[in-house]
Amino acid sequence: MKKLKREYGPYAFPTKDLSDKGMATTEEKLLNPDSNDGHLKNGIIVSTDGGGDADNRENQQTAETLIYKVTDNPPIHLSLMFAFQQALLSLANQLALSLMVAQAVCGEKNDMFKTQLLSSTLFMDGVTTLMMVLFGVRLPLFQGAAFEYVVPLLALQTLDPDRCNNDLSTGSLMCAGAIHFLVGATGLVGFLLRFVGPVTIVPAILLIGIYMTRTAVKFIEVHWGIGILTAACSIILSLYLAKFKLPIPVWTRKRGCHVIRYPLHQVFAILIGIMIGWAVSGILTAAGNITNDPDNIGYRARTDIGQEAINKAKWFYFPYPGQFGAPGFSVSVTAGFLIATLISILDSIGDYYACAKTCNVPPPPSHAMNRGIAVEGLCTFMSGIVGCGHATSTYGGNVGAIGITKVGSRQVFIFVGIIYIAFGLIEKFSAVFITIPYPVLGGALITMFGMFIGVILSNLQYMSLVSTRNIAIVGISILVGLMVPYWIELRPNAVQTGNNDADRILRTLLGNANLAGAVLACFLDNTIPGTREERGITAWQAPDKVDANVKYDNGLEVYEPLFLSRWRDSRVLKYIPFLPDPSPVKKRKVHKFQENSTV
C-alpha cells in the first residue's frame, strides 16, 4: 500500500497554543513559516526556546503538527485556496485515464465523446469525494479515477481490435461495484486481509503498471521530443529541485506584503510540465514544424485540432444515466474488473491508514474502513450507471500533499468535491483539456506511471526480502503474468474449446495483464508454508487498540458517522459492520462514573 513514512520532530506542539501565548495566529503561521516565534523543520513547527523535559520527550512520541486538523474549519477563502491546490494536483491523472478509456473503446477520434467522458469522470470524482468525507471513512481523502479498471478494456481492445463500438462495459462495472459495496457493507474486508498480502498485491499491481506502458508509448510516439521535454520538466521540478523552496510574494494584515518560501513547483510538477509541453507544441504548430496531414502520426501533436470540439461543447452539461447507450456486459471484462476491485480495496485500506498517520489521528476502526469501502463500491456502481468506464479509488498523492501543506481539514476536501462537480458540469472546461497534444500527455504518463510503479515496489519492505519463498513467488508470478498475455496476443487462435463465446472469454481473461499473475501469486502465497510476519500480512494490519504513547490531535470520534444521536446507543448497531458498536462507549461511561464515585 501507499503508506507514507515520515520523520517526527521532537518539539512539535499544537498550533492552537500559539495564540494563547501571544505568538502568531494559525493563519500567520501558514502564510509566514519563517516567523520569529519558532521555525519549521521539515515542515514541523519547532520551538526555539528548548523547553520541555528530555525524559518526557524520549518516552512519549509526538507527531507532526498540522496547521489545520481534521475537525478544524479554516476560513472560507483559505479553504478554497487549499481545495483548488488539492483539486489541481490530481487533475492530470483524471485527464490521462479518461483518454485511455476513450482509446480502449476506439473513441480517441471522437472529440465530443472524449469531452463528455471527461466531464462524467470529473463529476463522479466530486460526488465520490463528498460521500467519502461526509459518510465514508470521514478522513480528508480525494477519490479519483482508478487505473486498475482500464486494464480489462485495454486487453479486450488489444485482442480484438475490430471491436470498435464505444462499448464501455458499464454493466460489468456496475456488477463489480455491487460486489465492492457488499464487501464493505458485510465486513468481508477483514476476511480478505487474512489471505491477501504484499506477496500477492505487489505482482498484481506491478503488472498493471507494466501493461500501462503500452498506452504511454501510443501517446508519446507522436513526438518523442515534446514527450521527453514534458517528462523532464516534471522530474526536474519534483525531484532535482525537491529541497528548493520557491519565493512567493504574499500579503497578510499583520506584516503586509512580504515573501515566503514554499515548494509550489514540487506540488504542481506534473501540471507545470504539461503546461510547458503544451506551450512548446503550440509554438511548433504556429511555426509550421508539425505536419497538418491527419493521416500522419505526428498530426496529434498539433494544438489546433480540437478547436471544433471547444466550439461545439455546451457551457453546461449534466452527466446522465445511459448517455453512451445501454449498459454492456462481458463475462471476461467483469472478471478483470473483479480483480481490479480486490486490488482497489486493499490499496484504499493502505491509504486510509496513511492518511490517519499523516493527520495524527488514531488508525481507522473496522466500522470506518467498512463504510469507506462500501462508499467506494456504491460510487463505482454509480460510475457504471453514468458511463465512466472506470471506478473511483482513494488517491495517495493527495495524502502526501496533506503532509506538505499541513492542512488536513475535512472542510477543505468537501470543497474539493464541490470543485470537481463544477468541473464536470462545465463542458467547456473538459473540451479545453482534451485538446492537450498526445506527446504532452505521454510525457506526463512517464512521470505518473513511474511514480505508480515505484510506490508499488515500496511495498516489498513489509515482507521478508531474505526469504527465498517470497522472492520466488514474486518473481514467478511476474514472469507468468507477462508471458501469458504475450502468448495470447501472438497466438489468439491457440485457445480452441469448440465454443466461440467461450474462446473469446478465455482469450480476454488470459490477456488481462494482472489476472494470471495475481491468481498465481495468491495461490502460491497461501499454499506454500510461511509465517504471517514473513508474508508481510502482520505489518499490513493496523493495531485494534490506540497506542497510549502517541499524542493524537483527535480521537476516534473523527470516524463517527453522520446520523441521529438518539440512535447511537441502539443495540442493533453492533450487528451492522459499517456502524460503530455502542458497547465500548457504554463501558467507558460506566468505568468513568465508577472512578468519579470512588473519588
Side-chain angles (χ1 to χ4, degrees), residues 372-395:
I373 298 301
V375 165
E376 288 190 16
L378 177 61
C379 291
T380 297
F381 184 84
M382 294 169 60
S383 297
I385 293 176
V386 173
C388 293
H390 59 77
T392 52
S393 184
T394 305
Y395 268 43

Side-chain angles (χ1 to χ4, degrees), residues 503-522:
D503 292 345
R504 186 174 63 254
I505 292 172
L506 286 175
R507 280 198 298 268
T508 308
L509 288 176
L510 295 175
N512 192 335
N514 62 339
L515 183 61
V519 171
L520 180 61
C522 185

Side-chain angles (χ1 to χ4, degrees), residues 25-327:
T25 63
T26 304
E27 183 173 347
E28 286 290 331
K29 274 290 179 187
L30 176 68
L31 297 176
N32 181 30
D34 298 322
S35 103
N36 294 328
D37 300 325
H39 62 276
L40 288 180
K41 183 177 181 180
N42 296 329
I44 307 169
I45 300 176
V46 181
S47 174
T48 55
D49 57 13
D53 187 85
D55 295 334
N56 291 337
R57 291 198 302 268
E58 292 178 0
N59 296 330
Q60 188 178 43
Q61 302 174 16
T62 55
E64 293 184 1
T65 299
L66 291 179
I67 297 175
Y68 289 109
K69 303 177 180 60
V70 175
T71 55
D72 289 344
N73 295 320
I76 297 298
H77 65 285
L78 288 180
S79 294
L80 287 172
M81 182 181 71
F82 299 141
F84 267 106
Q85 178 174 264
Q86 290 282 1
L88 293 175
L89 184 64
S90 299
L91 185 60
N93 299 61
Q94 315 313 307
L95 171 65
L97 194 138
S98 178
L99 292 179
M100 288 170 62
V101 171
Q103 188 180 60
V105 297
C106 306
E108 67 270 17
K109 295 182 179 180
N110 189 338
D111 290 337
M112 190 54 62
F113 172 73
K114 292 190 296 184
T115 298
Q116 294 177 353
L117 189 62
L118 178 58
S119 293
S120 302
T121 295
L122 298 176
F123 178 79
M124 284 308 305
D125 288 347
V127 171
T128 311
T129 300
L130 277 178
M131 292 189 65
M132 179 60 71
V133 176
L134 294 176
F135 308 108
V137 74
R138 305 216 64 211
L139 287 173
L141 294 167
F142 172 72
Q143 303 292 301
F147 283 94
E148 297 92 338
Y149 288 81
V150 184
V151 175
L153 296 177
L154 292 174
L156 194 62
Q157 196 267 344
T158 301
L159 297 174
D160 190 6
D162 297 329
R163 183 180 176 274
C164 288
N165 52 3
N166 285 9
D167 183 9
L168 294 168
S169 298
T170 54
S172 300
L173 184 60
M174 291 164 63
C175 179
I179 295 175
H180 195 156
F181 170 79
L182 291 175
V183 169
T186 58
L188 289 176
V189 177
F191 178 77
L192 289 176
L193 289 175
R194 298 180 187 176
F195 303 99
V196 181
V199 179
T200 300
I201 291 300
V202 169
I205 309 183
L206 183 61
L207 288 168
I208 293 176
I210 295 174
Y211 194 81
M212 290 290 190
T213 57
R214 300 187 179 195
T215 303
V217 169
K218 289 181 181 179
F219 284 120
I220 201 173
E221 69 175 350
V222 174
H223 197 297
W224 279 93
I226 296 176
I228 292 175
L229 172 66
T230 304
C233 291
S234 300
I235 292 171
I236 290 171
L237 292 174
S238 62
L239 299 178
Y240 281 97
L241 300 178
K243 294 184 179 180
F244 175 75
K245 300 219 173 136
L246 196 67
I248 303 173
V250 296
W251 181 89
T252 59
R253 275 182 265 181
K254 184 176 181 180
R255 297 187 57 188
C257 293
H258 61 284
V259 176
I260 65 170
R261 290 190 170 270
Y262 183 76
L264 192 69
H265 59 285
Q266 185 181 21
V267 175
F268 297 116
I270 294 178
L271 274 176
I272 294 174
I274 289 176
M275 295 303 173
I276 293 174
W278 202 346
V280 171
S281 294
I283 294 172
L284 294 179
T285 300
N289 292 330
I290 299 179
T291 180
N292 56 4
D293 181 8
D295 297 328
N296 191 301
I297 190 175
Y299 180 72
R300 304 301 299 183
R302 297 184 66 88
T303 57
D304 57 356
I305 59 177
Q307 298 299 322
E308 186 178 356
I310 298 176
N311 296 331
K312 288 184 178 180
K314 304 174 184 176
W315 276 105
F316 297 100
Y317 176 80
F318 190 85
Y320 58 90
Q323 59 182 329
F324 303 123

